mmCIF file with all atom_site columns, all heavy atoms in Angstrom:
data_model
loop_
_atom_site.group_PDB
_atom_site.id
_atom_site.type_symbol
_atom_site.label_atom_id
_atom_site.label_alt_id
_atom_site.label_comp_id
_atom_site.label_asym_id
_atom_site.label_entity_id
_atom_site.label_seq_id
_atom_site.pdbx_PDB_ins_code
_atom_site.Cartn_x
_atom_site.Cartn_y
_atom_site.Cartn_z
_atom_site.occupancy
_atom_site.B_iso_or_equiv
_atom_site.pdbx_formal_charge
_atom_site.auth_seq_id
_atom_site.auth_comp_id
_atom_site.auth_asym_id
_atom_site.auth_atom_id
_atom_site.pdbx_PDB_model_num
ATOM 1   N N   . PHE A 1 1  ? 239.208 107.694 141.627 1.00 96.00 ? 1  PHE A N   1
ATOM 2   C CA  . PHE A 1 1  ? 238.142 106.694 141.652 1.00 96.00 ? 1  PHE A CA  1
ATOM 3   C C   . PHE A 1 1  ? 238.717 105.293 141.815 1.00 96.00 ? 1  PHE A C   1
ATOM 4   O O   . PHE A 1 1  ? 238.272 104.513 142.659 1.00 96.00 ? 1  PHE A O   1
ATOM 5   C CB  . PHE A 1 1  ? 237.282 106.761 140.379 1.00 96.00 ? 1  PHE A CB  1
ATOM 6   C CG  . PHE A 1 1  ? 236.308 105.620 140.293 1.00 96.00 ? 1  PHE A CG  1
ATOM 7   C CD1 . PHE A 1 1  ? 235.113 105.665 141.006 1.00 96.00 ? 1  PHE A CD1 1
ATOM 8   C CD2 . PHE A 1 1  ? 236.601 104.476 139.560 1.00 96.00 ? 1  PHE A CD2 1
ATOM 9   C CE1 . PHE A 1 1  ? 234.230 104.590 140.973 1.00 96.00 ? 1  PHE A CE1 1
ATOM 10  C CE2 . PHE A 1 1  ? 235.726 103.398 139.520 1.00 96.00 ? 1  PHE A CE2 1
ATOM 11  C CZ  . PHE A 1 1  ? 234.536 103.465 140.224 1.00 96.00 ? 1  PHE A CZ  1
ATOM 12  N N   . ILE A 1 2  ? 239.730 104.950 141.012 1.00 96.00 ? 2  ILE A N   1
ATOM 13  C CA  . ILE A 1 2  ? 240.312 103.606 141.063 1.00 96.00 ? 2  ILE A CA  1
ATOM 14  C C   . ILE A 1 2  ? 240.965 103.355 142.420 1.00 96.00 ? 2  ILE A C   1
ATOM 15  O O   . ILE A 1 2  ? 240.806 102.281 143.003 1.00 96.00 ? 2  ILE A O   1
ATOM 16  C CB  . ILE A 1 2  ? 241.309 103.400 139.908 1.00 96.00 ? 2  ILE A CB  1
ATOM 17  C CG1 . ILE A 1 2  ? 240.527 103.299 138.587 1.00 96.00 ? 2  ILE A CG1 1
ATOM 18  C CG2 . ILE A 1 2  ? 242.177 102.164 140.127 1.00 96.00 ? 2  ILE A CG2 1
ATOM 19  C CD1 . ILE A 1 2  ? 241.394 103.289 137.348 1.00 96.00 ? 2  ILE A CD1 1
ATOM 20  N N   . MET A 1 3  ? 241.674 104.347 142.937 1.00 97.00 ? 3  MET A N   1
ATOM 21  C CA  . MET A 1 3  ? 242.324 104.189 144.243 1.00 97.00 ? 3  MET A CA  1
ATOM 22  C C   . MET A 1 3  ? 241.296 103.909 145.339 1.00 97.00 ? 3  MET A C   1
ATOM 23  O O   . MET A 1 3  ? 241.491 103.020 146.164 1.00 97.00 ? 3  MET A O   1
ATOM 24  C CB  . MET A 1 3  ? 243.143 105.435 144.590 1.00 97.00 ? 3  MET A CB  1
ATOM 25  C CG  . MET A 1 3  ? 244.364 105.641 143.717 1.00 97.00 ? 3  MET A CG  1
ATOM 26  S SD  . MET A 1 3  ? 245.595 104.338 143.887 1.00 97.00 ? 3  MET A SD  1
ATOM 27  C CE  . MET A 1 3  ? 246.160 104.618 145.564 1.00 97.00 ? 3  MET A CE  1
ATOM 28  N N   . ASN A 1 4  ? 240.215 104.658 145.346 1.00 97.00 ? 4  ASN A N   1
ATOM 29  C CA  . ASN A 1 4  ? 239.210 104.482 146.393 1.00 97.00 ? 4  ASN A CA  1
ATOM 30  C C   . ASN A 1 4  ? 238.360 103.238 146.176 1.00 97.00 ? 4  ASN A C   1
ATOM 31  O O   . ASN A 1 4  ? 238.059 102.506 147.120 1.00 97.00 ? 4  ASN A O   1
ATOM 32  C CB  . ASN A 1 4  ? 238.335 105.728 146.502 1.00 97.00 ? 4  ASN A CB  1
ATOM 33  C CG  . ASN A 1 4  ? 239.112 106.904 147.043 1.00 97.00 ? 4  ASN A CG  1
ATOM 34  O OD1 . ASN A 1 4  ? 240.115 106.740 147.744 1.00 97.00 ? 4  ASN A OD1 1
ATOM 35  N ND2 . ASN A 1 4  ? 238.691 108.107 146.699 1.00 97.00 ? 4  ASN A ND2 1
ATOM 36  N N   . ASN A 1 5  ? 237.991 102.974 144.937 1.00 96.00 ? 5  ASN A N   1
ATOM 37  C CA  . ASN A 1 5  ? 237.169 101.809 144.644 1.00 96.00 ? 5  ASN A CA  1
ATOM 38  C C   . ASN A 1 5  ? 237.916 100.515 144.927 1.00 96.00 ? 5  ASN A C   1
ATOM 39  O O   . ASN A 1 5  ? 237.339 99.555  145.436 1.00 96.00 ? 5  ASN A O   1
ATOM 40  C CB  . ASN A 1 5  ? 236.704 101.860 143.186 1.00 96.00 ? 5  ASN A CB  1
ATOM 41  C CG  . ASN A 1 5  ? 235.778 100.725 142.852 1.00 96.00 ? 5  ASN A CG  1
ATOM 42  O OD1 . ASN A 1 5  ? 236.207 99.706  142.319 1.00 96.00 ? 5  ASN A OD1 1
ATOM 43  N ND2 . ASN A 1 5  ? 234.506 100.888 143.179 1.00 96.00 ? 5  ASN A ND2 1
ATOM 44  N N   . SER A 1 6  ? 239.201 100.483 144.625 1.00 95.00 ? 6  SER A N   1
ATOM 45  C CA  . SER A 1 6  ? 239.997 99.266  144.851 1.00 95.00 ? 6  SER A CA  1
ATOM 46  C C   . SER A 1 6  ? 240.451 99.132  146.298 1.00 95.00 ? 6  SER A C   1
ATOM 47  O O   . SER A 1 6  ? 240.920 98.084  146.704 1.00 95.00 ? 6  SER A O   1
ATOM 48  C CB  . SER A 1 6  ? 241.241 99.277  143.953 1.00 95.00 ? 6  SER A CB  1
ATOM 49  O OG  . SER A 1 6  ? 242.158 100.271 144.377 1.00 95.00 ? 6  SER A OG  1
ATOM 50  N N   . GLU A 1 7  ? 240.319 100.208 147.062 1.00 95.00 ? 7  GLU A N   1
ATOM 51  C CA  . GLU A 1 7  ? 240.789 100.258 148.452 1.00 95.00 ? 7  GLU A CA  1
ATOM 52  C C   . GLU A 1 7  ? 242.294 100.014 148.534 1.00 95.00 ? 7  GLU A C   1
ATOM 53  O O   . GLU A 1 7  ? 242.793 99.399  149.483 1.00 95.00 ? 7  GLU A O   1
ATOM 54  C CB  . GLU A 1 7  ? 240.013 99.270  149.330 1.00 95.00 ? 7  GLU A CB  1
ATOM 55  C CG  . GLU A 1 7  ? 238.526 99.572  149.392 1.00 95.00 ? 7  GLU A CG  1
ATOM 56  C CD  . GLU A 1 7  ? 237.732 98.612  150.262 1.00 95.00 ? 7  GLU A CD  1
ATOM 57  O OE1 . GLU A 1 7  ? 238.341 97.717  150.903 1.00 95.00 ? 7  GLU A OE1 1
ATOM 58  O OE2 . GLU A 1 7  ? 236.500 98.769  150.307 1.00 95.00 ? 7  GLU A OE2 1
ATOM 59  N N   . ALA A 1 8  ? 243.026 100.531 147.540 1.00 96.00 ? 8  ALA A N   1
ATOM 60  C CA  . ALA A 1 8  ? 244.483 100.404 147.524 1.00 96.00 ? 8  ALA A CA  1
ATOM 61  C C   . ALA A 1 8  ? 245.070 101.094 148.748 1.00 96.00 ? 8  ALA A C   1
ATOM 62  O O   . ALA A 1 8  ? 244.681 102.210 149.090 1.00 96.00 ? 8  ALA A O   1
ATOM 63  C CB  . ALA A 1 8  ? 245.050 101.014 146.248 1.00 96.00 ? 8  ALA A CB  1
ATOM 64  N N   . LYS A 1 9  ? 246.022 100.424 149.393 1.00 95.00 ? 9  LYS A N   1
ATOM 65  C CA  . LYS A 1 9  ? 246.649 100.957 150.603 1.00 95.00 ? 9  LYS A CA  1
ATOM 66  C C   . LYS A 1 9  ? 247.995 101.612 150.326 1.00 95.00 ? 9  LYS A C   1
ATOM 67  O O   . LYS A 1 9  ? 248.587 102.210 151.223 1.00 95.00 ? 9  LYS A O   1
ATOM 68  C CB  . LYS A 1 9  ? 246.813 99.850  151.639 1.00 95.00 ? 9  LYS A CB  1
ATOM 69  C CG  . LYS A 1 9  ? 245.482 99.378  152.178 1.00 95.00 ? 9  LYS A CG  1
ATOM 70  C CD  . LYS A 1 9  ? 245.664 98.446  153.341 1.00 95.00 ? 9  LYS A CD  1
ATOM 71  C CE  . LYS A 1 9  ? 244.303 98.062  153.908 1.00 95.00 ? 9  LYS A CE  1
ATOM 72  N NZ  . LYS A 1 9  ? 244.435 97.174  155.048 1.00 95.00 ? 9  LYS A NZ  1
ATOM 73  N N   . ALA A 1 10 ? 248.483 101.471 149.109 1.00 95.00 ? 10 ALA A N   1
ATOM 74  C CA  . ALA A 1 10 ? 249.766 102.079 148.729 1.00 95.00 ? 10 ALA A CA  1
ATOM 75  C C   . ALA A 1 10 ? 249.742 102.344 147.237 1.00 95.00 ? 10 ALA A C   1
ATOM 76  O O   . ALA A 1 10 ? 248.907 101.792 146.511 1.00 95.00 ? 10 ALA A O   1
ATOM 77  C CB  . ALA A 1 10 ? 250.924 101.153 149.092 1.00 95.00 ? 10 ALA A CB  1
ATOM 78  N N   . MET A 1 11 ? 250.664 103.196 146.798 1.00 96.00 ? 11 MET A N   1
ATOM 79  C CA  . MET A 1 11 ? 250.789 103.484 145.376 1.00 96.00 ? 11 MET A CA  1
ATOM 80  C C   . MET A 1 11 ? 252.256 103.576 145.013 1.00 96.00 ? 11 MET A C   1
ATOM 81  O O   . MET A 1 11 ? 253.030 104.262 145.684 1.00 96.00 ? 11 MET A O   1
ATOM 82  C CB  . MET A 1 11 ? 250.082 104.794 145.010 1.00 96.00 ? 11 MET A CB  1
ATOM 83  C CG  . MET A 1 11 ? 250.246 105.186 143.543 1.00 96.00 ? 11 MET A CG  1
ATOM 84  S SD  . MET A 1 11 ? 249.387 106.711 143.131 1.00 96.00 ? 11 MET A SD  1
ATOM 85  C CE  . MET A 1 11 ? 248.244 106.083 141.905 1.00 96.00 ? 11 MET A CE  1
ATOM 86  N N   . ILE A 1 12 ? 252.625 102.879 143.947 1.00 96.00 ? 12 ILE A N   1
ATOM 87  C CA  . ILE A 1 12 ? 253.972 102.964 143.385 1.00 96.00 ? 12 ILE A CA  1
ATOM 88  C C   . ILE A 1 12 ? 253.818 103.681 142.057 1.00 96.00 ? 12 ILE A C   1
ATOM 89  O O   . ILE A 1 12 ? 253.060 103.235 141.190 1.00 96.00 ? 12 ILE A O   1
ATOM 90  C CB  . ILE A 1 12 ? 254.581 101.567 143.190 1.00 96.00 ? 12 ILE A CB  1
ATOM 91  C CG1 . ILE A 1 12 ? 254.674 100.853 144.541 1.00 96.00 ? 12 ILE A CG1 1
ATOM 92  C CG2 . ILE A 1 12 ? 255.940 101.665 142.522 1.00 96.00 ? 12 ILE A CG2 1
ATOM 93  C CD1 . ILE A 1 12 ? 255.087 99.405  144.463 1.00 96.00 ? 12 ILE A CD1 1
ATOM 94  N N   . LEU A 1 13 ? 254.504 104.806 141.906 1.00 97.00 ? 13 LEU A N   1
ATOM 95  C CA  . LEU A 1 13 ? 254.336 105.593 140.694 1.00 97.00 ? 13 LEU A CA  1
ATOM 96  C C   . LEU A 1 13 ? 255.658 106.143 140.193 1.00 97.00 ? 13 LEU A C   1
ATOM 97  O O   . LEU A 1 13 ? 256.592 106.355 140.968 1.00 97.00 ? 13 LEU A O   1
ATOM 98  C CB  . LEU A 1 13 ? 253.353 106.747 140.920 1.00 97.00 ? 13 LEU A CB  1
ATOM 99  C CG  . LEU A 1 13 ? 253.736 107.842 141.895 1.00 97.00 ? 13 LEU A CG  1
ATOM 100 C CD1 . LEU A 1 13 ? 253.104 109.155 141.470 1.00 97.00 ? 13 LEU A CD1 1
ATOM 101 C CD2 . LEU A 1 13 ? 253.267 107.495 143.299 1.00 97.00 ? 13 LEU A CD2 1
ATOM 102 N N   . GLY A 1 14 ? 255.694 106.360 138.890 1.00 97.00 ? 14 GLY A N   1
ATOM 103 C CA  . GLY A 1 14 ? 256.853 106.994 138.287 1.00 97.00 ? 14 GLY A CA  1
ATOM 104 C C   . GLY A 1 14 ? 256.851 108.474 138.589 1.00 97.00 ? 14 GLY A C   1
ATOM 105 O O   . GLY A 1 14 ? 255.783 109.088 138.712 1.00 97.00 ? 14 GLY A O   1
ATOM 106 N N   . GLU A 1 15 ? 258.033 109.050 138.703 1.00 97.00 ? 15 GLU A N   1
ATOM 107 C CA  . GLU A 1 15 ? 258.141 110.469 139.027 1.00 97.00 ? 15 GLU A CA  1
ATOM 108 C C   . GLU A 1 15 ? 257.414 111.348 138.015 1.00 97.00 ? 15 GLU A C   1
ATOM 109 O O   . GLU A 1 15 ? 256.955 112.446 138.362 1.00 97.00 ? 15 GLU A O   1
ATOM 110 C CB  . GLU A 1 15 ? 259.608 110.885 139.131 1.00 97.00 ? 15 GLU A CB  1
ATOM 111 C CG  . GLU A 1 15 ? 260.374 110.796 137.824 1.00 97.00 ? 15 GLU A CG  1
ATOM 112 C CD  . GLU A 1 15 ? 261.855 111.105 137.980 1.00 97.00 ? 15 GLU A CD  1
ATOM 113 O OE1 . GLU A 1 15 ? 262.253 111.745 138.957 1.00 97.00 ? 15 GLU A OE1 1
ATOM 114 O OE2 . GLU A 1 15 ? 262.611 110.675 137.096 1.00 97.00 ? 15 GLU A OE2 1
ATOM 115 N N   . GLU A 1 16 ? 257.269 110.880 136.783 1.00 97.00 ? 16 GLU A N   1
ATOM 116 C CA  . GLU A 1 16 ? 256.600 111.664 135.748 1.00 97.00 ? 16 GLU A CA  1
ATOM 117 C C   . GLU A 1 16 ? 255.103 111.839 136.006 1.00 97.00 ? 16 GLU A C   1
ATOM 118 O O   . GLU A 1 16 ? 254.449 112.649 135.355 1.00 97.00 ? 16 GLU A O   1
ATOM 119 C CB  . GLU A 1 16 ? 256.854 111.052 134.364 1.00 97.00 ? 16 GLU A CB  1
ATOM 120 C CG  . GLU A 1 16 ? 256.252 109.684 134.136 1.00 97.00 ? 16 GLU A CG  1
ATOM 121 C CD  . GLU A 1 16 ? 257.149 108.512 134.555 1.00 97.00 ? 16 GLU A CD  1
ATOM 122 O OE1 . GLU A 1 16 ? 258.016 108.673 135.440 1.00 97.00 ? 16 GLU A OE1 1
ATOM 123 O OE2 . GLU A 1 16 ? 256.970 107.427 134.005 1.00 97.00 ? 16 GLU A OE2 1
ATOM 124 N N   . PHE A 1 17 ? 254.547 111.097 136.967 1.00 97.00 ? 17 PHE A N   1
ATOM 125 C CA  . PHE A 1 17 ? 253.118 111.191 137.273 1.00 97.00 ? 17 PHE A CA  1
ATOM 126 C C   . PHE A 1 17 ? 252.822 112.042 138.511 1.00 97.00 ? 17 PHE A C   1
ATOM 127 O O   . PHE A 1 17 ? 251.673 112.141 138.929 1.00 97.00 ? 17 PHE A O   1
ATOM 128 C CB  . PHE A 1 17 ? 252.529 109.787 137.436 1.00 97.00 ? 17 PHE A CB  1
ATOM 129 C CG  . PHE A 1 17 ? 252.684 108.955 136.205 1.00 97.00 ? 17 PHE A CG  1
ATOM 130 C CD1 . PHE A 1 17 ? 253.539 107.867 136.196 1.00 97.00 ? 17 PHE A CD1 1
ATOM 131 C CD2 . PHE A 1 17 ? 252.004 109.270 135.045 1.00 97.00 ? 17 PHE A CD2 1
ATOM 132 C CE1 . PHE A 1 17 ? 253.713 107.104 135.057 1.00 97.00 ? 17 PHE A CE1 1
ATOM 133 C CE2 . PHE A 1 17 ? 252.163 108.515 133.896 1.00 97.00 ? 17 PHE A CE2 1
ATOM 134 C CZ  . PHE A 1 17 ? 253.020 107.426 133.901 1.00 97.00 ? 17 PHE A CZ  1
ATOM 135 N N   . LEU A 1 18 ? 253.832 112.648 139.088 1.00 96.00 ? 18 LEU A N   1
ATOM 136 C CA  . LEU A 1 18 ? 253.625 113.475 140.284 1.00 96.00 ? 18 LEU A CA  1
ATOM 137 C C   . LEU A 1 18 ? 252.616 114.590 140.043 1.00 96.00 ? 18 LEU A C   1
ATOM 138 O O   . LEU A 1 18 ? 251.767 114.856 140.891 1.00 96.00 ? 18 LEU A O   1
ATOM 139 C CB  . LEU A 1 18 ? 254.950 114.061 140.764 1.00 96.00 ? 18 LEU A CB  1
ATOM 140 C CG  . LEU A 1 18 ? 255.857 113.110 141.528 1.00 96.00 ? 18 LEU A CG  1
ATOM 141 C CD1 . LEU A 1 18 ? 257.237 113.717 141.711 1.00 96.00 ? 18 LEU A CD1 1
ATOM 142 C CD2 . LEU A 1 18 ? 255.241 112.738 142.854 1.00 96.00 ? 18 LEU A CD2 1
ATOM 143 N N   . ASP A 1 19 ? 252.688 115.242 138.903 1.00 96.00 ? 19 ASP A N   1
ATOM 144 C CA  . ASP A 1 19 ? 251.779 116.357 138.616 1.00 96.00 ? 19 ASP A CA  1
ATOM 145 C C   . ASP A 1 19 ? 250.324 115.917 138.525 1.00 96.00 ? 19 ASP A C   1
ATOM 146 O O   . ASP A 1 19 ? 249.422 116.686 138.825 1.00 96.00 ? 19 ASP A O   1
ATOM 147 C CB  . ASP A 1 19 ? 252.185 117.055 137.314 1.00 96.00 ? 19 ASP A CB  1
ATOM 148 C CG  . ASP A 1 19 ? 253.506 117.799 137.427 1.00 96.00 ? 19 ASP A CG  1
ATOM 149 O OD1 . ASP A 1 19 ? 253.960 118.066 138.566 1.00 96.00 ? 19 ASP A OD1 1
ATOM 150 O OD2 . ASP A 1 19 ? 254.098 118.119 136.372 1.00 96.00 ? 19 ASP A OD2 1
ATOM 151 N N   . VAL A 1 20 ? 250.067 114.682 138.124 1.00 97.00 ? 20 VAL A N   1
ATOM 152 C CA  . VAL A 1 20 ? 248.700 114.166 138.010 1.00 97.00 ? 20 VAL A CA  1
ATOM 153 C C   . VAL A 1 20 ? 248.190 113.680 139.369 1.00 97.00 ? 20 VAL A C   1
ATOM 154 O O   . VAL A 1 20 ? 247.035 113.905 139.723 1.00 97.00 ? 20 VAL A O   1
ATOM 155 C CB  . VAL A 1 20 ? 248.632 113.017 136.978 1.00 97.00 ? 20 VAL A CB  1
ATOM 156 C CG1 . VAL A 1 20 ? 247.253 112.405 136.918 1.00 97.00 ? 20 VAL A CG1 1
ATOM 157 C CG2 . VAL A 1 20 ? 249.050 113.501 135.607 1.00 97.00 ? 20 VAL A CG2 1
ATOM 158 N N   . VAL A 1 21 ? 249.071 113.020 140.134 1.00 97.00 ? 21 VAL A N   1
ATOM 159 C CA  . VAL A 1 21 ? 248.656 112.404 141.398 1.00 97.00 ? 21 VAL A CA  1
ATOM 160 C C   . VAL A 1 21 ? 248.609 113.405 142.555 1.00 97.00 ? 21 VAL A C   1
ATOM 161 O O   . VAL A 1 21 ? 247.696 113.357 143.381 1.00 97.00 ? 21 VAL A O   1
ATOM 162 C CB  . VAL A 1 21 ? 249.585 111.211 141.738 1.00 97.00 ? 21 VAL A CB  1
ATOM 163 C CG1 . VAL A 1 21 ? 249.317 110.684 143.143 1.00 97.00 ? 21 VAL A CG1 1
ATOM 164 C CG2 . VAL A 1 21 ? 249.408 110.104 140.707 1.00 97.00 ? 21 VAL A CG2 1
ATOM 165 N N   . ALA A 1 22 ? 249.568 114.314 142.624 1.00 95.00 ? 22 ALA A N   1
ATOM 166 C CA  . ALA A 1 22 ? 249.667 115.233 143.774 1.00 95.00 ? 22 ALA A CA  1
ATOM 167 C C   . ALA A 1 22 ? 248.363 115.982 144.078 1.00 95.00 ? 22 ALA A C   1
ATOM 168 O O   . ALA A 1 22 ? 247.976 116.062 145.251 1.00 95.00 ? 22 ALA A O   1
ATOM 169 C CB  . ALA A 1 22 ? 250.824 116.210 143.581 1.00 95.00 ? 22 ALA A CB  1
ATOM 170 N N   . PRO A 1 23 ? 247.638 116.512 143.087 1.00 96.00 ? 23 PRO A N   1
ATOM 171 C CA  . PRO A 1 23 ? 246.403 117.242 143.412 1.00 96.00 ? 23 PRO A CA  1
ATOM 172 C C   . PRO A 1 23 ? 245.289 116.389 144.017 1.00 96.00 ? 23 PRO A C   1
ATOM 173 O O   . PRO A 1 23 ? 244.392 116.918 144.661 1.00 96.00 ? 23 PRO A O   1
ATOM 174 C CB  . PRO A 1 23 ? 245.957 117.819 142.059 1.00 96.00 ? 23 PRO A CB  1
ATOM 175 C CG  . PRO A 1 23 ? 247.171 117.820 141.207 1.00 96.00 ? 23 PRO A CG  1
ATOM 176 C CD  . PRO A 1 23 ? 247.977 116.633 141.662 1.00 96.00 ? 23 PRO A CD  1
ATOM 177 N N   . VAL A 1 24 ? 245.323 115.067 143.813 1.00 97.00 ? 24 VAL A N   1
ATOM 178 C CA  . VAL A 1 24 ? 244.230 114.219 144.308 1.00 97.00 ? 24 VAL A CA  1
ATOM 179 C C   . VAL A 1 24 ? 244.661 113.227 145.387 1.00 97.00 ? 24 VAL A C   1
ATOM 180 O O   . VAL A 1 24 ? 243.818 112.532 145.959 1.00 97.00 ? 24 VAL A O   1
ATOM 181 C CB  . VAL A 1 24 ? 243.545 113.455 143.146 1.00 97.00 ? 24 VAL A CB  1
ATOM 182 C CG1 . VAL A 1 24 ? 242.834 114.413 142.208 1.00 97.00 ? 24 VAL A CG1 1
ATOM 183 C CG2 . VAL A 1 24 ? 244.528 112.574 142.398 1.00 97.00 ? 24 VAL A CG2 1
ATOM 184 N N   . MET A 1 25 ? 245.938 113.163 145.687 1.00 95.00 ? 25 MET A N   1
ATOM 185 C CA  . MET A 1 25 ? 246.413 112.117 146.607 1.00 95.00 ? 25 MET A CA  1
ATOM 186 C C   . MET A 1 25 ? 245.817 112.207 148.002 1.00 95.00 ? 25 MET A C   1
ATOM 187 O O   . MET A 1 25 ? 245.648 111.186 148.657 1.00 95.00 ? 25 MET A O   1
ATOM 188 C CB  . MET A 1 25 ? 247.940 112.082 146.668 1.00 95.00 ? 25 MET A CB  1
ATOM 189 C CG  . MET A 1 25 ? 248.569 113.322 147.210 1.00 95.00 ? 25 MET A CG  1
ATOM 190 S SD  . MET A 1 25 ? 250.368 113.290 147.089 1.00 95.00 ? 25 MET A SD  1
ATOM 191 C CE  . MET A 1 25 ? 250.777 112.514 148.642 1.00 95.00 ? 25 MET A CE  1
#
């Protein structure tokens, strides 16, 4: 929701968040 609502064009994330982000990226 935040990614789409903010219209973010890139994401910088810690490797520990791969499991949370990968299913929705």
